[in-house]
Amino acid sequence: MSKDRIVVVGGYGHVGATICKNLGNAYPGRVYAAGRSLEKAEAFCREADGKVLPLELDIHKPLDQSMLEKVKLVVMCLDQTNTAFVEGCVRNGTHYLDISANGHFLTQIEQWGSQTETKNVGTAVLSVGLAPGLTNLLAGEAHRLLDQVSELDIYIMLGLGDRHGRAAIEWTVDNLCTSYEVINNHQRVTVESMTEGKLVDFGPELGKKRAYRFPFSDQQTLVRTLCIPTVSTRLCFDLDGMTRVVAALRSIGICRLLHQPKVREAVMEAFGRWKMGDDRFAIKVEARGKRGTNEATVECLLFGRDQSNMTAMVAAAVAKSLYEEAFPPGVHHMEQLFSLEKMRYWLEQEASLTIFVREAGL
């Protein structure tokens, strides 16, 4: 039985809907917008002119393997708490793509993949989107341009005037006060989000912003996939003053209040309604190391508009490649199978990309 269907789980959500429309234009009638609410899936599909079809699917229930018999690719846009669904897809020979940013969960999938026989299984690609995703590809490009990388810093700027889906807002609010592990000179250290601010220059158009530590999964992944001894990721908003306010609230104890459901909900509502700033986003990756015998630094800067749309476009590009090309089976992160060069043609039509290499003494 031929596998030719694509199932987008969370396909009628904020990012999933854009992925569905993109893939539906490329493969009309073979793309399914899946989720717990068949009614919402049907309502969305009516807007897609028949190119996308509805599917009722609850990933928290045991996976019906017969559902996957005709499915070549699953695109996951929802957060999960265990790897059962992923395992079911990959063991069935169905390819799997994940746009989530939960480092702990992605590590679980990676560990499962390392212990699994790869014969007759599908290909799973993790860390797909803006961050992780494009951050990983920029890091991979910086790594390629140096002979040795000793330290990598990732800075992400998000626009407060952008349209953010509830899942993205919820993840951001829930991680404002978290502690997490990073690798510093090959050693595991515990750090806290919204601390250790660094001033970063996003170029003449965006200027300088102060960015703070935040638990994006790329910093845990890249130490393994690119073998870099020190990696950190920091977050800021387009309005520098608001970033500093959030960092200050964290320092004076807002974390205790966020444990209260009503306060948490109110903060999420505020994030969702804020229309200050605009919809610009930016990613800057700075890699320090050596080129030949010279000390060298690589800076990669990408900026554009509408981070949700960019996340969807990256996911759709990877999905099309998985659908049409052959890749090694098993579990991989995006930078292990894709390069910036592979994405560069369409990416530079949607955003501005500059890369600088500076060698000491030259």
Side-chain angles (χ1 to χ4, degrees):
M1 186 176 293
S2 64
K3 286 176 171 280
D4 64 352
R5 296 178 179 176
I6 300 174
V7 173
V8 182
V9 184
Y12 48 80
H14 188 61
V15 174
T18 306
I19 296 173
C20 278
K21 290 175 182 177
N22 190 310
L23 296 178
N25 287 331
Y27 315 107
R30 285 180 276 175
V31 179
Y32 290 77
R36 287 187 295 180
S37 172
L38 183 60
E39 182 180 357
K40 290 181 180 180
E42 290 174 336
F44 165 71
C45 290
R46 283 193 289 271
E47 302 173 3
D49 300 324
K51 295 178 180 179
V52 180
L53 303 174
L55 177 67
E56 185 175 3
L57 176 65
D58 187 348
I59 61 171
H60 301 293
K61 294 180 179 179
L63 177 62
D64 180 2
Q65 288 290 327
S66 64
M67 187 273 292
L68 295 175
E69 289 178 358
K70 295 184 179 180
V71 178
K72 184 171 185 177
L73 170 66
V74 169
V75 179
M76 178 59 67
C77 303
L78 304 179
D79 287 334
Q80 300 169 82
T81 56
N82 64 71
T83 62
F85 186 88
V86 187
E87 293 176 25
C89 292
V90 176
R91 284 194 175 121
N92 185 277
T94 298
H95 302 321
Y96 175 89
L97 185 161
D98 199 306
I99 71 168
S100 66
N102 186 320
H104 176 69
F105 176 71
L106 296 183
T107 299
Q108 283 184 290
I109 303 177
E110 185 182 336
Q111 290 174 344
W112 171 80
S114 67
Q115 301 165 4
T116 302
E117 173 61 50
T118 58
K119 186 177 180 181
N120 299 322
V121 302
T123 300
V125 184
L126 313 179
S127 304
V128 179
L130 184 74
L134 288 180
T135 54
N136 299 55
L137 292 190
L138 292 176
E141 180 68 6
H143 185 270
R144 185 186 69 81
L145 291 170
L146 293 175
D147 296 313
Q148 178 185 336
V149 179
S150 58
E151 186 174 5
L152 184 83
D153 289 316
I154 301 170
Y155 303 97
I156 300 161
M157 187 203 81
L158 300 180
L160 287 172
D162 205 346
R163 297 174 299 111
H164 302 287
R166 181 176 173 83
I169 295 172
E170 189 171 29
W171 184 83
T172 302
V173 171
D174 287 343
N175 283 287
L176 288 175
C177 299
T178 193
S179 298
Y180 60 100
E181 285 189 343
V182 296
I183 302 299
N184 187 357
N185 196 25
H186 299 293
Q187 302 295 315
R188 292 183 180 275
V189 297
T190 300
V191 298
E192 296 183 335
S193 60
M194 298 308 296
T195 64
E196 299 182 47
K198 279 190 176 182
L199 194 64
V200 54
D201 189 350
F202 284 105
E205 186 168 335
L206 298 175
K208 295 180 179 180
K209 316 283 184 186
R210 187 165 295 277
Y212 297 82
R213 286 191 180 274
F214 214 75
F216 290 97
S217 61
D218 45 23
Q219 59 200 312
Q220 283 95 12
T221 298
L222 293 168
V223 295
R224 299 190 296 271
T225 60
L226 299 182
C227 300
I228 301 174
T230 302
V231 182
S232 67
T233 303
R234 284 174 167 82
L235 170 70
C236 65
F237 303 118
D238 58 331
L239 297 180
D240 195 49
M242 185 55 66
T243 311
R244 293 171 187 261
V245 166
V246 173
L249 288 173
R250 194 241 194 272
S251 69
I252 63 174
I254 193 176
C255 301
R256 294 190 300 273
L257 295 176
L258 284 176
H259 290 305
Q260 299 177 23
K262 289 184 178 180
V263 174
R264 176 179 175 272
E265 185 64 30
V267 172
M268 287 196 297
E269 287 289 328
F271 265 99
R273 291 177 180 174
W274 273 338
K275 294 304 176 187
M276 300 176 289
D278 58 29
D279 64 349
R280 291 183 295 181
F281 70 84
I283 298 169
K284 186 171 186 180
V285 170
E286 295 182 357
R288 288 172 289 282
K290 288 188 175 181
R291 207 175 191 197
T293 58
N294 293 326
E295 297 289 331
T297 300
V298 175
E299 294 184 4
C300 303
L301 175 63
L302 176 80
F303 70 88
R305 292 184 178 275
D306 193 344
Q307 59 89 17
S308 296
N309 182 64
M310 181 59 73
T311 294
M313 292 187 69
V314 174
V318 173
K320 290 172 185 175
S321 293
L322 279 176
Y323 192 78
E324 297 174 1
E325 304 170 30
F327 287 90
V331 177
H332 310 269
H333 289 275
M334 186 175 172
E335 70 277 9
Q336 295 176 294
L337 298 181
F338 294 85
S339 66
L340 180 65
E341 196 61 36
K342 187 175 179 65
M343 301 276 182
R344 195 161 186 165
Y345 173 74
W346 70 262
L347 187 60
E348 289 189 323
Q349 296 179 8
E350 301 293 331
S352 172
L353 173 65
T354 54
I355 298 175
F356 300 100
V357 181
R358 297 185 178 90
E359 291 188 48
L362 296 181

